[in-house]
Amino acid sequence: MATRQGPPGRTQREKASAGQQIVWTLIASAVAGLSTYYSAFSKRPTAVTSFPTSYALCAESNKIYTVDEARPAVDCITIDKHAILATGTLAEIQKHWDDYQNELIRKFYGNESKAKKTLPVFNAPLGSIVVPGLADAHAHIIQYGFKMQLRLDKVRTLSELLDLLEDYVNSHPSDPDTWIEAMGWDQTRWSDTDGGFPTSADLASRPSLASLPIALHRVDVHALWLSPRALALTKEHLNGTFPHSVPGGEIIRHPSTGEPTGVFLDAAQSLIPVPKWSKWQMRDYASRTVKDALAVGLTTIHDASTSLDELELFKELDQDNELPIRVYAMADSDRITYEEKSIIEVYDPSPSAHVRMRSVKLFTDGALGSWGAALLAPYSDKLDSRGIMRFTEEELASTVREWWDKDWGVNIHAIGDRANKAVLDIFEKISDVGGGNDSVAGRRPRIEHSQIMRVEDLKRAGELGVLTSVQPTHATSDMWYAESRLGADRIKGAYAYQTLLRSSRNGVLPLGSDFPVEGINPLLGFHAAVARLDDEGKSPHGGGGWFPAERLTRAQALKGMTLDAAYASFSEDTLGSLVPGKRADFVILDRDIMDQDRPFTEILEAKVKATIIDGKVAFGGI
């Protein structure tokens, strides 16, 4: 090998010195290189937490699920300002952008090529997918924030619940007349009781609780459990006498003494003088809900019972730029006074507005877990009861007609088969006298829950054009006792989601959670809909799922919590799918929940990487 010679005439010392310099230079270079290598290795890429005004987002091949029949999966989407500009392959969206820019400079910049803007392209993390912004078609925003203060739903015994309350009281000292209010108990999940309702005596069994006014809402908010002190204050509030009966509700009484045991059902809850929440409490509750909603990919929430005070709060949050999510509110008929009813008006600035109210929420019955769902025949496990109708069929029909004639959307809570039949009878009469089923369908009336229906009513809802708004996690929560409540025949028309979807005249089945009754994470509902299993992978029918014929496909479930929810809120042309012209609301998930070959358990393991609303990052990053 030839070697390069040094300059002639160099001394040995010079050569040695030069050799040392070369060695030290090599050592320094090596150290610098190692340092650079280590620095590059130790620093992780910074997550992108904001996007420019215009940009493209690409995922792995066909991993952007658009819920668009024409192009259900694409590689890339282009966002311009708050809207989706184009979808397709990278080459397609780049060509579309180039054409778009050429048109802009021709119109506004005298064809000056320097005015053209480049399109920044961002890549979703490997393995992740993009789906439209997720919507919850039935939830309760303020109540969720309230419930999260004290998690009664986490306990699995009555004893644990009492322990939790004692710990809370000890850590939150207050005036002995200050009411303690919480939510989430479910007697069907307690392993140390017989599944019956608790009593005020249970709360009195703990000395630190006995003298305090305590009001605990059942998980479904259809029952209120009082301590002895709260019971005494209620009696005093009622001038010393509890009513013998309550229309649309019930006071649970001791079978031998006839005295109230401490549980009040449905309309009877209004007898309890629990102090109202302040505006600032409600603001805190709403803020907690918004924060948690964004973290699980929710971009729209249908608030299913909004008081006028809550509506004003949502407007205020929006004006203060503290409401990134979209709220589709349903006016709570139970909390609208006679005077307010005469002046209330639809509030619907636009389908993309962050606060809207164009429908009213009415109630027919109670809930299955508290034996309040109105049934046509007695409960199989409580033969002396058929549940509770909040109003007679005639009263309900009159109320529906009143709101209908004012051009409000009418959404009605109905759980039992009697309640659902009553609602469908009303809309059938409206159809008969008002232009047929098409005229009813055009108004998009909704049955909220649609849980237990006669088999013939499953089909009738679709024929009439009545939307059935369902909550899949109700099925997996109730499945452990539903058949014992209903019997083998009635259960055939219960939680029948695939049948309801097939019966729908437009193939629409809005999905929600009813949070805080159930968890806020929409993937819990997605999993329940496609697996018919609880979050531990169990069901009364084994690992194959509870009545698996009523499963939804993954595509159906995603559509139910995106485009179908948008349809149910009159916003399907603006929200609900990733197509050009619609709002840029989307979610990046860390794994592919749409892959039919992946196990159901992976759905529950999925995490939200980013939630984007109007093209801007509202949570996380990539």
Side-chain angles (χ1 to χ4, degrees), residues 305-349:
S305 296
T306 308
S307 71
L308 297 189
D309 286 343
E310 289 165 356
L311 177 65
E312 292 307 312
L313 172 63
F314 295 148
K315 290 180 184 179
E316 185 179 297
L317 289 170
D318 187 30
Q319 291 166 0
D320 293 343
N321 294 317
E322 294 180 19
L323 191 70
I325 62 171
R326 306 184 199 279
V327 175
Y328 179 74
M330 308 177 201
D332 184 353
S333 61
D334 276 2
R335 291 187 288 167
I336 295 175
T337 66
Y338 180 80
E339 292 76 17
E340 289 171 337
K341 193 174 183 180
S342 64
I343 61 172
I344 187 173
E345 294 181 351
V346 166
Y347 179 77
D348 194 10

Side-chain angles (χ1 to χ4, degrees), residues 194-206:
D194 61 2
F197 282 129
T199 67
S200 59
D202 292 320
L203 292 170
S205 67
R206 301 293 178 95

